[in-house]
Amino acid sequence: MSGYDFGDARFDLSQERDREVLQFVLSQALYGEATGVFCGRSLYNAATLEAAQFYVRQARQELNHLTLFADIFRELGLQPTPAHWVIRVLAAHNDYYPLKVLMEHALGEGMVLDIFRDVLLQTLPDDDPRVPGIKKKLRVICREEEEHVAWGEKETRRILAERPGLKRAFYGLLELQLFLVPYAVRGLKQQAPDHPVMQRLDGFVDFVKQRVWEQGQALGFVPADRPSPSARALAVTSGLGLLARSQLARSRSKLDKRYLEELGFR
Ligand SMILES: [Fe+2]
Ligand SMILES: [Fe+2]
């Protein structure tokens, strides 16, 4: 998969300004991984053995990512800071399965992967002796995040085939996420506007938006052409409605009702 090209833009780990930018980026990653561990909660309403196996595996992987990022902070001598509000909003847990697989796995972890793979793996300087070890950790994390995105896409496709009526709300939520992304980036750019990596940030954000748009089209809920503003507003309203209803959805156990079929006894 080819991502955004940062050219020869690199961070300089001896510069305070560069270290502050990395501290911000890594702090968002650390928070995201901490919330990733909550996926263990999805075991309670996993409907199939396959889903249960996935969530056990994911919880173990996210817990590992959390400690790997903590190691990266220590190796770089950086102190984590609280997460940005946009990251808190985007990383909020949702018990409603159709939204969980779309927003957390397919879209959320998809964008996480863009940042780990395209930003961190490209812009950390290889000539720093700490970086090769850090990149090795990041590559392990990226490989596992790819699995999480693939699960989200597979489940989103299955759910939309069963309930095509969800397409409009899903599309509205994608618009909403794309609308929020620049807010998370804005403060970052202000920290070091003339830094070579920051100068490519707008290009990176445009690349991510385009990639997410095409991802939504491939999943079958984003129209071929961007709808009119009023149609978009309707879709966003429908997405927000689904999000509001999902907050009231009670998480229900499933495997205790289905285990016999799942195990092939009936
Ligand atoms: Fe992770
Ligand atoms: Fe993940």
Side-chain angles (χ1 to χ4, degrees):
M1 213 189 294
S2 64
Y4 180 72
D5 185 4
F6 272 90
D8 53 6
R10 296 286 177 275
F11 285 110
D12 180 345
L13 295 174
S14 64
Q15 296 293 318
E16 204 40 50
R17 181 188 68 161
D18 292 42
R19 291 170 59 79
E20 277 170 16
V21 172
L22 273 173
Q23 178 188 41
F24 177 87
V25 176
L26 292 169
S27 295
Q28 314 314 311
L30 192 69
Y31 180 83
E33 299 296 358
T35 62
V37 176
F38 296 170
C39 70
R41 180 162 160 164
S42 305
L43 266 182
Y44 183 66
N45 58 349
T48 60
L49 279 186
E50 190 196 10
Q53 267 148 4
F54 171 79
Y55 285 110
V56 168
R57 191 175 149 83
Q58 194 204 357
R60 197 183 291 139
Q61 289 173 340
E62 302 296 7
L63 204 52
N64 186 41
H65 299 175
L66 182 63
T67 55
L68 286 176
F69 271 107
D71 290 344
I72 294 174
F73 270 98
R74 289 192 194 96
E75 278 162 299
L76 294 176
L78 294 172
Q79 189 66 33
T81 55
H84 190 279
W85 68 267
V86 171
I87 305 300
R88 288 171 189 270
V89 169
L90 293 179
H93 180 82
N94 199 312
D95 271 333
Y96 181 56
Y97 192 73
L99 282 189
K100 182 180 172 66
V101 294
L102 172 77
M103 294 182 71
E104 291 177 33
H105 298 310
L107 302 182
E109 291 180 293
M111 287 192 263
V112 161
L113 193 54
D114 290 329
I115 293 164
F116 293 175
R117 195 170 45 197
D118 291 351
V119 183
L120 293 176
L121 278 176
Q122 278 190 73
T123 61
L124 286 170
D126 286 315
D127 52 11
D128 185 289
R130 295 166 289 187
V131 167
I134 291 175
K135 284 195 176 177
K136 214 168 144 185
K137 293 187 175 85
L138 286 170
R139 284 195 196 94
V140 170
I141 295 172
C142 285
R143 241 186 343 260
E144 293 176 348
E145 295 300 348
E146 278 170 22
E147 287 176 30
H148 308 161
V149 176
W151 171 261
E153 292 186 336
K154 180 180 142 177
E155 288 295 87
T156 301
R157 280 200 176 89
R158 184 181 61 76
I159 286 164
L160 286 179
E162 282 170 15
R163 300 176 57 189
L166 285 172
K167 281 183 187 176
R168 186 164 77 162
F170 276 22
Y171 165 61
L173 289 167
L174 179 138
E175 284 281 357
L176 203 62
Q177 283 204 342
L178 292 184
F179 172 78
L180 283 175
V181 167
Y183 286 93
V185 175
R186 195 172 293 166
L188 182 64
K189 250 179 72 185
Q190 283 161 357
Q191 271 184 314
D194 53 348
H195 191 285
V197 175
M198 295 299 112
Q199 282 180 344
R200 292 183 194 241
L201 215 52
D202 287 337
F204 171 68
V205 169
D206 289 342
F207 170 86
V208 171
K209 285 180 156 182
Q210 184 60 29
R211 188 199 59 68
V212 171
W213 186 261
E214 285 164 14
Q215 184 190 18
Q217 283 179 333
L219 292 173
F221 63 87
V222 168
D225 298 306
R226 199 164 184 223
S228 66
S230 58
R232 287 205 303 264
L234 271 177
V236 170
T237 308
S238 142
L240 283 172
L242 186 64
L243 199 59
R245 287 197 301 282
S246 76
Q247 300 303 309
L248 305 171
R250 283 250 318 276
S251 156
R252 282 181 222 282
S253 64
K254 301 227 171 60
L255 218 48
D256 53 339
K257 283 122 198 151
R258 303 181 42 141
Y259 68 104
L260 290 175
E261 293 129 89
E262 283 294 312
L263 291 168
F265 287 112
R266 255 194 265 167

